[in-house]
Amino acid sequence: MLSEELLSILVCPACKTKVTYFRQQWLLCDNPDCRRKYPIKDDIPIMLIEEGDKWRETAPESLPDTDQLRF
Ligand SMILES: [Zn+2]
């Protein structure tokens, strides 16, 4: 679980828009032109542009559980 304090300062590294905490596993960029999605692994947000790029075309409800992913 990420703290409210941490969530309040996180922004998308690609476009600097705020992100939405989703299923306690993902951070979704709120910018509709960006749509990058950043996985959270062991409570550590992976805020890398190249990671966000992988999920741009994936709908939020289709995102996998992040404990299934390898980094
Ligand atoms: Zn973005």
Side-chain angles (χ1 to χ4, degrees):
M1 189 77 179
L2 298 188
S3 70
E4 291 291 329
E5 186 180 8
L6 177 58
L7 288 168
S8 71
I9 61 168
L10 288 174
V11 294
C12 172
C15 72
K16 314 300 183 197
T17 300
K18 77 179 182 67
V19 292
T20 296
Y21 195 31
F22 182 71
R23 269 172 29 202
Q24 299 185 14
Q25 295 194 347
W26 291 88
L27 292 166
L28 314 183
C29 178
D30 286 350
N31 178 351
D33 293 327
C34 176
R35 304 186 313 278
R36 288 179 176 84
K37 301 167 187 77
Y38 302 92
I40 300 165
K41 182 78 170 173
D42 298 330
D43 283 343
I44 300 169
I46 314 294
M47 303 298 281
L48 300 173
I49 293 174
E50 54 268 37
E51 188 60 40
D53 282 348
K54 295 182 194 173
W55 307 102
R56 290 186 82 177
E57 306 306 326
T58 305
E61 55 273 19
S62 299
L63 291 168
D65 287 339
T66 56
D67 54 13
Q68 309 293 323
L69 300 176
R70 288 175 166 275
F71 296 102

